[in-house]
Amino acid sequence: MSATPQNSLLAANASGLTAEAALEAERMRRAAAMVTVTNRLEPSEVPRLLEAAGRVIGRLAAPETVIRVAEKNADAIWLFARRGKARPEGFMSALLLNQSGRSALFDGTLNLLDPQNEYLVSQHERPAAIYVWASFTPGVLAAGINRVMDRFDSPHYAEADVISTSFTMRGHRAMVRRGFEQGVWHEDRFLEDFYMIPRRPETLAARLPRYATHHPVQHPTGIRVVTGFDDMMRVAAVRSAVYIGEQACPYDEEFDGNDLAATHLLALIGNEPAGCMRLRFFGDFAKLERLAVRKEFRKSRTAFDLVRASVALCKEKGYRRIYGHAREDLLPFWQHFGFRLKENGAPFAFSDHVFVEMIDTIEPSPTALSLKDDPYRLIRTEGVWHVPGPLELSAARAAHLQSPQI
């Protein structure tokens, strides 16, 4: 509703890695139970809510504009109230945009204070983008945002990109913690003021691979494959903080001699190491292990992004099965990604915890590495198979090897 909304408070997901994270998830669940959420807008409530929100956010759309947007699509405006209270005290709003509206948002022709009807979809139409227009969720009401995002995760909305903006450092940090990527490419322009969770097939197809999304300048929040000693030090620092520092795991059990025989993924938030994952590769399966996220980043989507990036890497290598060990109490976290208990696998213990074996069945990527590939692709840097490597570039030098004379 504002011309320059400051923060979209999309709810964070607990990583599920520690008992502390589980307690945080339970706290959020209880908070959500204290909030009622509805998209049934009572027009008489709109001026009061906008006046309260305007004192915090700044200039907002007029009440008649908000009512018009809600009449176009009821899912655009959500009202939050403390359970037992008759009147709503907060709201979350979104512009549900068609393809033309998505483009208009990026090129500046969408009027954010009075959005044009031709850019908005009705409830039976699938949007191309969900733009977080404005939200006002004081206190416990913020817990209701999870319920709205559940709606936007439904099949009807699942392929719409979620977009927001922020013009403050606090807002930037909130976006990053909640899984948004800073910057959007539109018609060969990089728009750094926008933040996006890409979900459209065409958007995802144009993205960097999930395991290669980090760039120190353009994408300071992302994931990359470890290819040097400096990054291995970052991985060791994360795992030492989580497993040795928090969980009192003995050094020799955490650093077990397999690190130099594995591939590692490093997640960074604002160029700061936030989490990591280790992958080892066997004959017909890959194994995920040593997932760790630093305490201060556990309200972000880092753990989820690392698992998805690891699966994507396995698919690109052509694997069809992934194996892993899950702590019994954290199995639901892994089941979220499709892992299931290994048939005939019995619980077993190490490092003072009980674990279960789990398996996931996957399909190789359409671009999976194979002997049919150009030979240059197979000598590119690990995890950077989409970018020409140094040996490939060396072929451009003037001097070339000559075929031997017979």
Side-chain angles (χ1 to χ4, degrees):
M1 291 178 202
S2 65
T4 56
Q6 299 302 303
N7 295 315
S8 64
L9 302 175
L10 297 189
N13 288 301
S15 71
L17 295 179
T18 66
E20 180 183 342
L23 288 173
E24 175 66 13
E26 177 63 15
R27 186 194 66 77
M28 293 176 64
R29 185 192 67 78
R30 291 180 179 178
M34 298 170 61
V35 179
T36 59
V37 180
T38 181
N39 63 352
R40 296 179 181 177
L41 183 68
E42 176 56 54
S44 63
E45 297 284 0
V46 174
R48 177 180 61 83
L49 288 169
L50 290 179
E51 182 180 358
R55 290 194 290 266
V56 177
I57 299 174
R59 188 183 179 193
L60 296 172
E64 55 269 24
T65 298
V66 175
I67 294 169
R68 172 176 61 83
V69 169
E71 288 175 345
K72 178 76 172 181
N73 191 325
D75 284 349
I77 312 294
W78 296 83
L79 304 182
F80 302 162
R82 289 173 174 83
R83 189 167 296 279
K85 299 288 186 179
R87 304 181 73 185
E89 301 169 87
F91 63 85
M92 176 179 169
S93 61
L95 297 181
L96 305 172
L97 303 171
N98 55 29
Q99 182 59 44
S100 296
R102 184 180 186 274
S103 296
L105 172 66
F106 293 145
D107 65 27
T109 57
L110 174 64
N111 186 338
L112 292 176
L113 289 174
D114 191 15
Q116 300 91 320
N117 254 12
E118 62 265 28
Y119 293 146
L120 306 177
V121 301
S122 57
Q123 205 162 22
H124 71 277
E125 297 175 300
R126 294 178 184 267
I130 299 169
Y131 176 70
V132 181
W133 199 15
S135 60
F136 176 61
T137 55
V140 73
L141 296 180
I145 295 179
N146 278 353
R147 306 263 292 279
V148 179
M149 294 312 298
D150 285 344
R151 171 63 174 160
F152 290 151
D153 280 340
S154 68
H156 184 73
Y157 291 110
E159 292 187 355
D161 294 331
V162 182
I163 302 169
S164 187
T165 49
S166 177
F167 298 91
T168 67
M169 182 54 65
R170 181 179 179 183
H172 164 78
R173 290 169 179 162
M175 294 294 98
V176 169
R177 284 199 307 270
R178 287 158 178 82
F180 283 82
E181 299 175 0
Q182 183 178 9
V184 173
W185 284 99
H186 177 66
E187 296 181 350
D188 297 324
R189 292 185 300 133
F190 185 71
L191 309 175
E192 63 180 10
D193 289 337
F194 286 96
Y195 294 74
M196 181 166 66
I197 299 176
R199 305 195 302 180
R200 299 171 73 215
E202 51 266 55
T203 306
L204 292 170
R207 291 179 72 208
L208 294 169
R210 287 183 181 270
Y211 49 81
T213 57
H214 178 264
H215 185 282
V217 177
Q218 294 180 346
H219 301 285
T221 293
I223 293 174
R224 66 186 184 220
V225 175
V226 171
T227 57
F229 183 72
D230 284 348
D231 274 354
M232 276 302 303
M233 292 291 288
R234 293 180 174 93
V235 166
V238 171
R239 282 169 44 189
S240 295
V242 172
Y243 290 115
I244 297 178
E246 291 187 56
Q247 300 184 18
C249 179
Y251 179 90
D252 288 342
E253 294 179 15
E254 174 53 32
F255 297 100
D256 57 355
N258 284 318
D259 286 319
L260 298 184
T263 294
H264 301 264
L265 293 185
L266 175 66
L268 300 104
I269 293 181
N271 287 326
E272 181 70 14
C276 58
M277 173 82 89
R278 188 171 81 180
L279 299 87
R280 290 194 291 145
F281 300 99
F282 299 84
D284 64 348
F285 68 93
K287 184 175 185 292
L288 306 189
E289 52 197 21
R290 297 300 198 274
L291 173 59
V293 175
R294 285 169 54 188
K295 183 177 181 179
E296 53 268 47
F297 297 111
R298 286 189 193 136
K299 291 185 179 181
S300 72
R301 298 178 62 87
T302 301
F304 292 83
D305 293 340
L306 277 166
V307 174
R308 293 189 178 105
S310 298
V311 172
L313 185 74
C314 293
K315 289 182 175 182
E316 197 66 21
K317 280 182 169 285
Y319 283 90
R320 295 180 180 273
R321 289 195 299 172
I322 303 176
Y323 172 74
H325 302 153
R327 255 175 45 188
E328 281 190 316
D329 57 325
L330 299 179
L331 181 61
F333 170 79
W334 294 98
Q335 290 173 326
H336 175 83
F337 304 98
F339 283 87
R340 63 188 185 279
L341 287 173
K342 180 176 177 288
E343 188 176 354
N344 299 324
F348 65 105
F350 63 85
S351 295
D352 305 316
H353 292 284
V354 177
F355 293 83
V356 293
E357 296 177 281
M358 58 184 185
I359 293 285
D360 189 17
T361 302
I362 59 175
E363 285 296 321
S365 163
T367 58
L369 297 159
S370 77
L371 290 175
K372 297 179 182 179
D373 280 335
D374 184 291
Y376 287 119
R377 186 172 186 237
L378 299 179
I379 56 175
R380 291 175 181 172
T381 304
E382 181 78 359
V384 198
W385 301 295
H386 59 293
V387 176
L391 296 176
E392 191 167 349
L393 297 174
S394 74
R397 290 201 294 261
H400 297 285
L401 292 176
Q402 300 296 318
S403 297
Q405 299 297 318
I406 299 178

